């Protein structure tokens, strides 16, 4: 990693940091750090944030990011709650708006984004990030396959950038959420972690050594169609039986609840129905939660991360699974004597999904600006 990149990374990660602290962490010389800082300062990307006085030694000037240097747009597309946000470079949401398009037509989404930018952006928007559930080619900006949006081979990034004139990136929604947690959330001070997302489908975003791990085909973390059951009553929507999604997704929970109460339930009414039938709700949430806990324990064993998180989509009413997930996790986790992987529920991460989409654009902005600064 170049010195320029490290300096910007540390300022973003710590919010406020002195050049002396950057020197201690990186081991680079004072002069090379100072010129990297100067370049970013001249651009207006970083600024001074006051002075800290240690008991001994000279006062130190703290550096911080100028978050309103430019803005980004994040768009969350998972067919339930489709939302756009305008954020600063720290991922702080300045404005948000629901998408009009209920049918998720790519051109309509592009129009909605363009209108949103025209209405609310007072600073230049440097990038648009789209978080879509499904299989994504993030390099080409194509949604290869998404059951929730119904898209197959949709070049969504170029459709949006053609309409807005702004560079646009697309990422799997679990990856985007993991990126938001890495930059602004629970993962800020962790080295490696995994976020398991629970909605109609199940996915995972994997962060290793503070970078998103996508794998060879961009499908790393697609754990929803890994076989976990041996004799499930249900066939997964992918056609296989015994997938994790067939026994533990919101779709599966809806189906199991419907069978138990003898009437149809939809994912829209799932939360209300779960409260209405507490006995049956407890049964199905225990079953599904135990399987999810097992999946988390499996991931924790394979990757040995600092933490695993589970993020139920907020509108589904699935927060009551915490006990069952925790139980399943601890019964399946390989016992280690010290520093075991921790498990945490990310229940109220409502705006983190859209901030995750924005963080894709934020990361790309910093990559571009860093190489421009270095070559300037
Ligand atoms: Zn499946």
């Amino acid at each position: 990693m170049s010195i320029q990149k490290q300096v910007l990374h540390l300022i973003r990660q710590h919010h406020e940091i002195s050049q002396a602290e950057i020197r201690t962490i990186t081991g680079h010389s004072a002069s090379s750090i100072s010129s990297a800082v100067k370049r970013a300062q001249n651009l207006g990307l970083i600024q001074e944030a006051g002075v800290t006085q240690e008991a001994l030694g000279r006062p130190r000037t703290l550096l911080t990011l100028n978050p309103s240097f430019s803005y980004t747009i994040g768009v969350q597309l998972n067919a339930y709650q489709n939302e756009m946000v305008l954020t600063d470079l720290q991922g702080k949401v300045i404005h948000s708006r629901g998408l009009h398009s209920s049918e998720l037509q790519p051109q309509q989404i592009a129009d909605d984004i363009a209108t949103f930018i025209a209405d609310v952006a007072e600073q230049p928007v440097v990038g648009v990030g789209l978080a879509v559930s499904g299989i994504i080619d993030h390099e080409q900006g194509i949604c290869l396959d998404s059951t929730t949006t119904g898209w197959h081979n949709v070049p969504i990034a170029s459709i949006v950038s053609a309409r807005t004139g702004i560079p646009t990136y697309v990422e799997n929604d679990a990856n985007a959420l993991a990126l938001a947690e890495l930059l602004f959330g629970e993962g800020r001070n962790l080295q490696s972690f995994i976020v398991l997302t629970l909605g109609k489908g199940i996915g995972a975003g994997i962060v290793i050594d503070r970078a998103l791990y996508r794998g060879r085909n961009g499908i790393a973390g697609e754990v929803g169609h890994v076989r976990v059951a041996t004799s499930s009553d249900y066939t997964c929507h992918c056609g296989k039986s015994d997938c994790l999604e067939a026994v533990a997704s919101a779709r599966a929970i809806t189906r199991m609840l419907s069978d138990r109460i003898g009437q149809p339930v939809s994912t829209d009414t799932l939360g209300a129905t779960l409260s209405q039938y507490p006995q049956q709700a407890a049964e199905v949430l225990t079953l599904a939660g135990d399987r999810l806990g097992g999946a988390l324990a499996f991931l924790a064993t394979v990757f040995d991360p600092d933490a695993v998180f589970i993020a139920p989509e907020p509108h589904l009413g699935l927060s009551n699974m915490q006990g069952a997930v925790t139980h399943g996790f601890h019964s399946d986790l390989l016992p280690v004597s010290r520093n075991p992987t921790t498990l945490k529920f990310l229940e109220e991460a409502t705006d983190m999904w859209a901030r995750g989409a924005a963080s894709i654009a934020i990361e790309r902005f910093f990559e571009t600006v860093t190489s421009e600064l270095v070559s300037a």
Side-chain angles (χ1 to χ4, degrees):
M1 198 188 286
S2 72
I3 298 175
Q4 190 70 56
K5 194 169 183 179
Q6 275 180 299
V7 165
L8 287 176
H9 254 296
L10 287 170
I11 293 170
R12 291 170 66 199
Q13 190 184 351
H14 292 256
H15 286 301
E16 291 183 349
I17 191 168
S18 68
Q19 292 198 36
E21 285 172 280
I22 295 174
R23 195 165 68 232
T24 309
I25 296 168
T26 63
H28 292 305
S29 72
S31 65
S32 58
I33 289 168
S34 162
S35 44
V37 165
K38 198 143 283 165
R39 279 193 292 267
Q41 244 171 342
N42 290 342
L43 189 67
L45 185 57
I46 61 173
Q47 56 196 16
E48 291 180 358
V51 170
T52 174
Q53 179 66 65
E54 309 287 321
L56 294 166
R58 290 189 297 166
R60 287 164 174 182
T61 304
L62 292 171
L63 298 165
T64 191
L65 186 71
N66 172 11
S68 50
F69 179 79
S70 50
Y71 288 162
T72 65
I73 298 287
V75 186
Q76 175 206 352
L77 296 170
N78 63 12
Y80 288 117
Q81 269 192 341
N82 299 308
E83 193 190 11
M84 301 179 276
V85 292
L86 177 82
T87 76
D88 67 17
L89 292 178
Q90 291 283 25
K92 186 176 147 217
V93 175
I94 316 281
H95 291 284
S96 67
R97 181 182 289 176
L99 276 159
H100 291 125
S101 37
S102 53
E103 291 185 359
L104 295 179
Q105 294 299 325
Q107 197 56 57
Q108 181 62 49
I109 288 167
D111 287 345
D112 282 356
I113 295 169
T115 308
F116 182 52
I117 293 171
D119 288 351
V120 303
E122 287 156 9
Q123 303 281 346
V125 172
V126 291
V128 175
L130 307 166
V132 184
S133 68
I135 313 283
I136 306 298
D137 179 342
H138 80 280
E139 280 173 5
Q140 302 294 323
I142 298 170
C143 175
L144 298 174
D145 199 15
S146 166
T147 48
T148 47
T149 59
W151 295 350
H152 303 284
N153 294 315
V154 174
I156 185 65
S158 55
I159 292 171
V160 172
S161 65
R163 176 69 179 82
T164 60
I166 297 169
T168 301
Y169 315 100
V170 60
E171 186 65 78
N172 167 273
D173 61 344
N175 284 356
L177 184 62
L179 195 56
E181 295 298 340
L182 173 70
L183 297 176
F184 325 117
E186 297 286 340
R188 255 183 65 197
N189 298 313
L190 301 180
Q191 201 61 25
S192 302
F193 63 90
I194 295 165
V195 180
L196 191 79
T197 57
L198 171 60
K200 223 176 195 173
I202 294 171
I206 300 166
V207 171
I208 297 175
D209 292 335
R210 300 199 56 77
L212 203 55
Y213 178 74
R214 294 186 180 87
R216 176 181 160 94
N217 294 299
I219 61 164
E222 282 294 322
V223 292
H225 302 288
V226 168
R227 293 179 75 163
V228 294
T230 48
S231 58
S232 164
D233 296 336
Y234 302 114
T235 302
C236 184
H237 64 96
C238 74
K240 291 196 294 178
S241 54
D242 308 334
C243 295
L244 181 61
E245 279 189 17
V247 291
S249 64
R251 208 187 244 130
I253 292 166
T254 303
R255 201 163 44 183
M256 291 190 287
L257 187 64
S258 172
D259 283 356
R260 276 174 172 71
I261 65 174
Q263 53 179 280
V265 183
S266 79
T267 39
D268 292 335
T269 58
L270 179 59
T273 317
L274 285 168
S275 330
Q276 205 183 335
Y277 296 91
Q279 175 66 39
Q280 291 88 340
E283 285 170 26
V284 298
L285 293 181
T286 299
L287 261 173
D290 189 62
R291 288 286 158 73
L292 285 169
L296 283 160
F298 177 80
L299 290 168
T301 307
V302 172
F303 290 97
D304 193 18
D306 298 314
V308 289
F309 301 107
I310 179 163
E313 285 179 26
H315 49 97
L316 290 171
L318 293 176
S319 50
N320 287 345
M321 299 175 88
Q322 193 156 354
V325 174
T326 307
H327 179 263
F329 177 70
H330 288 295
S331 19
D332 284 14
L333 190 66
L334 190 70
V336 285
S337 51
R338 51 180 191 156
N339 299 329
T341 297
T342 54
L343 163 69
K344 188 169 179 185
F345 254 66
L346 304 176
E347 284 177 60
E348 298 306 328
T350 317
D351 73 348
M352 286 302 264
W353 293 76
R355 289 175 76 193
S359 64
I360 306 159
I362 294 172
E363 280 305 275
R364 294 297 276 260
F365 165 76
F366 277 102
E367 277 169 30
T368 310
V369 84
T370 305
S371 47
E372 281 170 9
L373 284 171
V374 171
S375 63

Short mmCIF file of all heavy atoms in Angstrom, two decimals, residues 1 46 55 88 93 97 115-116 157 172 201 208 211 241 268 293 307 311 322 331 334 346 362 371 376:
data_model
loop_
_atom_site.label_atom_id
_atom_site.label_comp_id
_atom_site.label_asym_id
_atom_site.label_seq_id
_atom_site.Cartn_x
_atom_site.Cartn_y
_atom_site.Cartn_z
N MET A 1 0.85 -1.21 0.00
CA MET A 1 0.00 0.00 0.00
C MET A 1 0.88 1.25 0.00
O MET A 1 1.83 1.34 0.76
CB MET A 1 -0.88 -0.02 1.27
CG MET A 1 -2.09 0.90 1.19
SD MET A 1 -2.98 1.04 2.76
CE MET A 1 -3.81 -0.53 2.89
N ILE A 46 -8.39 16.77 3.09
CA ILE A 46 -8.27 16.68 4.55
C ILE A 46 -8.02 18.07 5.13
O ILE A 46 -7.61 18.99 4.42
CB ILE A 46 -7.15 15.69 4.98
CG1 ILE A 46 -5.78 16.12 4.47
CG2 ILE A 46 -7.47 14.29 4.56
CD1 ILE A 46 -4.64 15.27 5.02
N ALA A 55 0.93 15.06 27.88
CA ALA A 55 1.57 15.51 29.11
C ALA A 55 3.01 15.97 28.83
O ALA A 55 3.46 16.98 29.34
CB ALA A 55 1.57 14.40 30.15
N ASP A 88 -22.13 11.99 2.76
CA ASP A 88 -20.81 12.61 2.63
C ASP A 88 -19.76 11.51 2.56
O ASP A 88 -20.09 10.31 2.54
CB ASP A 88 -20.57 13.63 3.76
CG ASP A 88 -20.45 12.98 5.13
OD1 ASP A 88 -20.23 11.75 5.22
OD2 ASP A 88 -20.57 13.71 6.14
N VAL A 93 -25.52 10.08 6.28
CA VAL A 93 -26.65 10.28 5.39
C VAL A 93 -27.13 11.74 5.50
O VAL A 93 -27.49 12.21 6.57
CB VAL A 93 -27.81 9.31 5.71
CG1 VAL A 93 -29.03 9.61 4.86
CG2 VAL A 93 -27.36 7.86 5.52
N ARG A 97 -34.39 8.95 0.30
CA ARG A 97 -35.69 8.92 -0.40
C ARG A 97 -35.98 7.49 -0.84
O ARG A 97 -35.08 6.77 -1.27
CB ARG A 97 -35.60 9.83 -1.64
CG ARG A 97 -36.89 9.91 -2.43
CD ARG A 97 -36.74 10.79 -3.65
NE ARG A 97 -36.63 12.20 -3.31
CZ ARG A 97 -36.41 13.18 -4.21
NH1 ARG A 97 -36.29 12.89 -5.48
NH2 ARG A 97 -36.32 14.44 -3.83
N THR A 115 -33.22 12.23 -10.68
CA THR A 115 -34.11 13.22 -10.08
C THR A 115 -33.68 13.53 -8.65
O THR A 115 -33.64 14.70 -8.23
CB THR A 115 -35.57 12.69 -10.06
OG1 THR A 115 -35.91 12.26 -11.37
CG2 THR A 115 -36.54 13.75 -9.59
N PHE A 116 -33.33 12.49 -7.91
CA PHE A 116 -32.87 12.65 -6.52
C PHE A 116 -31.63 13.54 -6.47
O PHE A 116 -31.56 14.48 -5.68
CB PHE A 116 -32.57 11.26 -5.95
CG PHE A 116 -32.14 11.23 -4.51
CD1 PHE A 116 -32.89 11.85 -3.51
CD2 PHE A 116 -30.98 10.54 -4.14
CE1 PHE A 116 -32.48 11.80 -2.18
CE2 PHE A 116 -30.57 10.49 -2.83
CZ PHE A 116 -31.31 11.12 -1.84
N ALA A 157 -25.02 -0.82 -13.96
CA ALA A 157 -24.12 0.32 -13.70
C ALA A 157 -24.06 1.24 -14.91
O ALA A 157 -24.14 2.47 -14.77
CB ALA A 157 -22.73 -0.20 -13.33
N ASN A 172 -22.89 -6.82 -4.64
CA ASN A 172 -23.85 -7.66 -3.91
C ASN A 172 -24.21 -6.98 -2.58
O ASN A 172 -23.36 -6.36 -1.95
CB ASN A 172 -23.18 -9.02 -3.67
CG ASN A 172 -23.91 -9.85 -2.68
OD1 ASN A 172 -23.68 -9.74 -1.49
ND2 ASN A 172 -24.82 -10.68 -3.15
N GLY A 201 -33.62 -14.11 0.98
CA GLY A 201 -32.48 -15.00 0.79
C GLY A 201 -31.51 -14.84 1.94
O GLY A 201 -31.76 -14.09 2.88
N ILE A 208 -11.64 -9.85 5.11
CA ILE A 208 -10.41 -10.47 5.60
C ILE A 208 -9.31 -9.42 5.57
O ILE A 208 -9.10 -8.76 4.55
CB ILE A 208 -10.00 -11.68 4.73
CG1 ILE A 208 -11.09 -12.76 4.81
CG2 ILE A 208 -8.66 -12.25 5.18
CD1 ILE A 208 -10.85 -13.94 3.90
N ALA A 211 -10.23 -6.00 4.13
CA ALA A 211 -10.64 -5.86 2.73
C ALA A 211 -11.74 -6.86 2.43
O ALA A 211 -11.76 -7.96 2.96
CB ALA A 211 -9.44 -6.09 1.80
N SER A 241 -32.82 -29.28 -2.90
CA SER A 241 -33.46 -29.36 -1.60
C SER A 241 -32.38 -29.22 -0.53
O SER A 241 -31.19 -29.38 -0.82
CB SER A 241 -34.21 -30.68 -1.45
OG SER A 241 -33.34 -31.73 -1.70
N ASP A 268 -44.52 -9.90 3.63
CA ASP A 268 -44.96 -8.55 4.04
C ASP A 268 -45.66 -8.57 5.40
O ASP A 268 -45.59 -7.61 6.15
CB ASP A 268 -45.94 -7.97 3.00
CG ASP A 268 -45.24 -7.66 1.69
OD1 ASP A 268 -44.02 -7.45 1.72
OD2 ASP A 268 -45.92 -7.67 0.64
N GLY A 293 -27.48 -20.21 13.27
CA GLY A 293 -26.37 -20.25 14.22
C GLY A 293 -25.32 -21.25 13.79
O GLY A 293 -24.12 -21.00 13.87
N ALA A 307 -15.08 -11.58 14.50
CA ALA A 307 -16.50 -11.58 14.84
C ALA A 307 -17.33 -12.05 13.65
O ALA A 307 -16.90 -11.94 12.50
CB ALA A 307 -16.95 -10.17 15.22
N ALA A 311 -27.39 -9.95 10.27
CA ALA A 311 -28.16 -8.74 10.00
C ALA A 311 -29.49 -9.11 9.37
O ALA A 311 -29.58 -9.31 8.16
CB ALA A 311 -27.37 -7.82 9.07
N GLN A 322 -32.78 -14.16 18.14
CA GLN A 322 -31.46 -13.99 18.75
C GLN A 322 -31.06 -15.18 19.64
O GLN A 322 -29.95 -15.68 19.52
CB GLN A 322 -31.43 -12.69 19.55
CG GLN A 322 -30.05 -12.29 19.94
CD GLN A 322 -29.95 -10.78 20.17
OE1 GLN A 322 -30.89 -10.05 19.93
NE2 GLN A 322 -28.82 -10.34 20.66
N SER A 331 -23.42 -24.15 20.08
CA SER A 331 -23.34 -25.60 20.10
C SER A 331 -22.48 -26.14 18.95
O SER A 331 -21.92 -27.22 19.06
CB SER A 331 -24.71 -26.28 20.11
OG SER A 331 -25.71 -25.45 19.70
N LEU A 334 -16.42 -24.61 17.04
CA LEU A 334 -15.26 -25.36 17.52
C LEU A 334 -14.77 -24.71 18.80
O LEU A 334 -14.49 -23.52 18.82
CB LEU A 334 -14.16 -25.29 16.45
CG LEU A 334 -12.95 -26.19 16.63
CD1 LEU A 334 -13.32 -27.65 16.43
CD2 LEU A 334 -11.86 -25.77 15.65
N LEU A 346 -27.06 -7.50 14.34
CA LEU A 346 -27.13 -6.12 13.86
C LEU A 346 -28.59 -5.84 13.53
O LEU A 346 -29.01 -5.92 12.38
CB LEU A 346 -26.25 -5.93 12.62
CG LEU A 346 -24.78 -6.32 12.75
CD1 LEU A 346 -24.08 -6.16 11.41
CD2 LEU A 346 -24.09 -5.46 13.81
N ILE A 362 -17.83 5.40 -2.26
CA ILE A 362 -16.82 6.11 -1.45
C ILE A 362 -15.45 5.44 -1.61
O ILE A 362 -14.44 6.10 -1.83
CB ILE A 362 -17.25 6.14 0.05
CG1 ILE A 362 -18.51 7.00 0.21
CG2 ILE A 362 -16.12 6.68 0.92
CD1 ILE A 362 -19.12 6.96 1.60
N SER A 371 -4.68 7.59 -6.43
CA SER A 371 -3.75 7.45 -7.56
C SER A 371 -3.52 8.79 -8.24
O SER A 371 -2.42 9.05 -8.73
CB SER A 371 -4.22 6.37 -8.54
OG SER A 371 -5.56 6.52 -8.82
N ALA A 376 0.33 13.07 -9.29
CA ALA A 376 0.34 14.53 -9.54
C ALA A 376 1.75 15.12 -9.40
O ALA A 376 2.55 14.63 -8.63
CB ALA A 376 -0.60 15.23 -8.57
#
